[in-house]
Amino acid sequence: MKKEELIDLGLSEEQADKVIAGYGHMVPKSRLDDKIQEVKDLRKEVANRDTQLEELKKIDADGLKTKITELQQQNKTDKTEYEAKIKDTQLKSALKLALANKVHDADLVTSLIDKSTIELDGEGNITKGLDEQIKTLRESKAFLFTPETEDKPLPKGTKPGEGSKTDEETKVGDYGKLIAEERSKGTEGLDEARKSYFG
């Protein structure tokens, strides 16, 4: 409270000075309530921290280490399995590419091949282990493979595109004339048939 407020309450100025001197400035109730709440909050926070410390004391450090070790082992296993799947996918793709147009059923032939002996390079191409197995399979199960095509020589006689005129005699404009002559030869018999039928 202030001195003026004390005088308003009926105290003399001298009495008001004594009260102020004895007690100093009075703290408003709202500030006092705020401080009380602050103290309560601090006590509550200290109690929460004590509870957390007690909970931490209950944690089994050895159990936590064991759990971490288990998770690390699981991650290692998952990584190994993932890498094996990637390698298997690359190997299957490389085999299908290598067997394309050589076999009737690439999946069937792939299942007969020992994949553990096949090696791939960094780009996923087969470098070793397939040719020997293909050779053995071709000998034992030839029906799985398509026949190998060989370059057959052209039949003896005239060469394709060879005609009676030489290239110098045949001009670009002569092609149209040649086509017209060939067409007219084909329709001569048709014209005669029409005359005899309708004629």
Side-chain angles (χ1 to χ4, degrees):
M1 275 187 138
K2 296 181 181 175
K3 182 179 175 182
E4 292 80 18
E5 291 173 341
L6 291 171
I7 292 172
D8 288 343
L9 287 173
L11 296 175
S12 67
E13 190 171 330
E14 186 180 326
Q15 289 172 331
D17 285 337
K18 284 183 183 177
V19 169
I20 296 291
Y23 297 101
H25 287 288
M26 297 283 222
V27 176
K29 186 174 185 321
S30 62
R31 274 189 68 202
L32 181 62
D33 291 341
D34 289 346
K35 290 293 177 189
I36 291 170
Q37 187 60 46
E38 194 176 313
V39 169
K40 285 181 183 177
D41 290 343
L42 286 170
R43 283 184 180 158
K44 193 174 181 180
E45 193 175 324
V46 168
N48 283 341
R49 290 199 181 162
D50 288 343
T51 306
Q52 288 172 353
L53 287 170
E54 289 302 318
E55 290 296 320
L56 284 172
K57 284 180 188 175
K58 292 178 189 175
I59 289 176
D60 178 16
D62 292 334
L64 205 58
K65 285 178 184 176
T66 305
K67 187 69 176 170
I68 289 169
T69 306
E70 286 173 9
L71 288 171
Q72 285 174 335
Q73 188 60 43
Q74 184 63 46
N75 286 345
K76 191 176 180 181
T77 305
D78 290 346
K79 183 182 178 186
T80 305
E81 286 175 5
Y82 173 75
E83 286 173 353
K85 282 181 184 176
I86 292 290
K87 187 178 179 183
D88 187 54
T89 304
Q90 284 180 332
L91 186 58
K92 283 180 181 175
S93 297
L95 281 171
K96 283 189 179 181
L97 247 151
L99 296 172
N101 300 324
K102 293 181 182 176
V103 296
H104 293 294
D105 187 346
D107 292 326
L108 178 62
V109 174
T110 301
S111 69
L112 298 172
I113 290 174
D114 180 13
K115 295 175 193 75
S116 64
T117 61
I118 295 175
E119 293 178 14
L120 299 176
D121 64 11
E123 295 175 3
N125 300 315
I126 296 173
T127 57
K128 189 177 174 186
L130 180 64
D131 293 336
E132 302 84 15
Q133 293 187 62
I134 292 292
K135 186 178 178 184
T136 306
L137 277 174
R138 191 180 288 278
E139 290 169 1
S140 62
K141 295 179 172 47
F143 62 91
L144 293 172
F145 294 84
T146 56
E148 290 183 0
T149 55
E150 296 176 7
D151 292 336
K152 295 179 182 175
L154 292 172
K156 292 183 179 179
T158 59
K159 294 179 184 173
E162 189 176 67
S164 59
K165 293 185 178 182
T166 62
D167 290 339
E168 292 175 8
E169 293 172 335
T170 307
K171 304 282 187 215
V172 176
D174 291 340
Y175 286 118
K177 190 189 285 185
L178 288 171
I179 291 170
E181 287 174 8
E182 290 297 319
R183 260 207 184 160
S184 66
K185 286 179 188 175
T187 59
E188 284 175 6
L190 184 61
D191 291 338
E192 289 175 16
R194 284 183 186 153
K195 283 179 188 176
S196 65
Y197 184 74
F198 294 109

